[in-house]
Amino acid sequence: MSYLGGRVSGVTAPFTPDRPALRSWLPGFVALAAIWGSSFLFIKVGLAELHPLHLTGYRVGAGALTLLVVLVALRDRLPREPRVWGHLTVIAAFGVALPFTLFGYGEQRVESMLAGIWNATTPLVVLPLAVLVFRTERLTVRSAVGLLLGFTGVLVVLGVWQGVGGSHFVGQLMCFGAAACYGLAIPYQKKFIAGSELSGLSLSAAQLVVATVQLAIVAPLAAGAPPVPTDLSPRVLSAVLALGALGTGLAFVIHLRNIRIVGASTAATVTYLIPVFAMLIGALVLGERLTWHQPVGALIVLLGVAVSQGLIGRRRQPAPAPAELLAVSAESR
């Protein structure tokens, strides 16, 4: 469960070959969307026995351990510069610990498929922050139209004509708050970590290590001592391991491979498939149902994102260098 539409420094990869064969990247692309889309299901399962903070702590810890193992296997290293670790402390808080926890709190009140829809609103927050706060992007007519469409979709998802209030509405706001955290972390990372020679794997592993430490401090104070993993049911323990090792560890490796093969822009379009898988899995596995306006609003949101990113309304520009994209979380994303 991660946001992939922002252009964030940190991934290093060779240049992408011209027109790679579909079979070389499409299976991994679809698998990645399924993994990240299923993360919302695993969150719902984990919440049956775990406080949202404890669920996030175990999940991030498992993800950190997975990426550290990959880091050692590939003979890569963690950052050494104090400046980088300082910025990663901010990114870990707003790109991992807070959004993962907010999605957990949100899914105590809303369907997992609805949380997946809210995850897709991340780029709508990224753009205004990048333009107004971090000044890493410029606002164009195209992006403004995309933002307007996107936030119209948000209002449709919320069903504002029905009135607002209640725990379901609060849960949706928490999920939107999680997406907003990603929206802050992405331009922050682009501004302060851009140009780093460290690999995306190194930065992501370090980010998860920092987030694990943050949660290890905060979670016991806010939610009490976490349960011992052996006390969890096999179903919940499997969900936690899937969130960490699969949704964060393996998914990131697959995503890096996709970037190397087809480039950052094409790899980032996996964002559009994540809500589809979240809705399908929520309906088939948990028997969840959405009201008509929620999937309609999701389509409007995705249309707004596509317009704001130039996928609709003009010829696509050459893909940015792979060093411009890094999945924030994701879990995720």
Side-chain angles (χ1 to χ4, degrees), residues 198-238:
L198 295 165
S199 69
L201 177 61
S202 172
L203 291 171
S204 292
Q207 180 178 324
L208 290 180
V209 168
V210 173
T212 300
V213 174
Q214 292 171 339
L215 288 160
I217 296 171
V218 174
L221 297 175
V228 179
T230 53
D231 292 339
L232 301 175
S233 67
R235 184 168 181 261
V236 170
L237 186 59
S238 298

Side-chain angles (χ1 to χ4, degrees), residues 21-332:
L22 282 176
R23 66 176 180 274
S24 69
W25 63 273
L26 189 58
F29 182 88
V30 175
L32 188 63
I35 290 171
W36 275 329
S38 65
S39 295
F40 302 97
L41 163 68
F42 295 135
I43 291 173
K44 181 71 75 172
V45 172
L47 290 171
E49 298 177 17
L50 287 169
H51 187 281
L53 276 166
H54 294 153
L55 174 61
T56 301
Y58 280 136
R59 169 189 178 182
V60 173
L65 181 61
T66 301
L67 288 188
L68 287 174
V69 170
V70 176
L71 201 70
V72 172
L74 296 180
R75 297 182 180 180
D76 204 343
R77 63 176 179 83
L78 291 172
R80 295 177 182 175
E81 300 83 358
R83 179 190 67 85
V84 173
W85 282 100
H87 289 310
L88 285 176
T89 300
V90 177
I91 297 167
F94 289 96
V96 180
L98 274 173
F100 286 8
T101 302
L102 283 172
F103 271 123
Y105 276 112
E107 286 200 46
Q108 287 181 324
R109 299 164 175 82
V110 303
E111 299 80 3
S112 67
M113 57 174 63
L114 192 53
I117 290 174
W118 283 112
N119 187 64
T121 64
T122 296
L124 303 178
V125 182
V126 170
L127 184 57
L129 286 176
V131 171
L132 300 174
V133 179
F134 296 102
R135 301 186 182 279
T136 56
E137 305 285 347
R138 295 181 62 185
L139 186 64
T140 64
V141 173
R142 170 182 52 80
S143 58
V145 171
L147 280 176
L148 181 61
L149 274 173
F151 280 107
T152 299
V154 167
L155 296 178
V156 174
V157 172
L158 286 172
V160 291
W161 59 87
Q162 299 174 340
V164 295
S167 63
H168 197 267
F169 177 73
V170 171
Q172 293 196 67
L173 290 183
M174 288 179 172
C175 291
F176 183 63
C181 287
Y182 291 144
L184 176 64
I186 288 169
Y188 182 95
Q189 181 158 340
K190 181 174 182 179
K191 185 175 180 66
F192 295 107
I193 307 294
S196 172
E197 296 181 355
L198 295 165
S199 69
L201 177 61
S202 172
L203 291 171
S204 292
Q207 180 178 324
L208 290 180
V209 168
V210 173
T212 300
V213 174
Q214 292 171 339
L215 288 160
I217 296 171
V218 174
L221 297 175
V228 179
T230 53
D231 292 339
L232 301 175
S233 67
R235 184 168 181 261
V236 170
L237 186 59
S238 298
V240 172
L241 292 176
L243 279 170
L246 183 64
T248 302
L250 178 61
F252 184 79
V253 174
I254 295 174
H255 181 56
L256 275 182
R257 181 179 181 275
N258 289 344
I259 292 174
R260 291 188 180 101
I261 295 175
V262 295
S265 291
T266 300
T269 59
V270 71
T271 302
Y272 298 93
L273 282 182
I274 292 174
V276 176
F277 276 98
M279 288 188 285
L280 287 174
I281 293 170
L284 295 175
V285 179
L286 297 177
E288 296 177 340
R289 294 292 181 268
L290 296 177
T291 55
W292 68 268
H293 61 86
Q294 290 164 343
V296 170
L299 289 175
I300 299 174
V301 166
L302 293 178
L303 176 62
V305 171
V307 171
S308 69
Q309 294 182 342
L311 299 179
I312 296 177
R314 72 172 187 177
R315 289 187 61 185
R316 292 188 61 181
Q317 300 297 317
E324 293 181 343
L325 183 67
L326 175 63
V328 177
S329 83
E331 201 225 346
S332 19

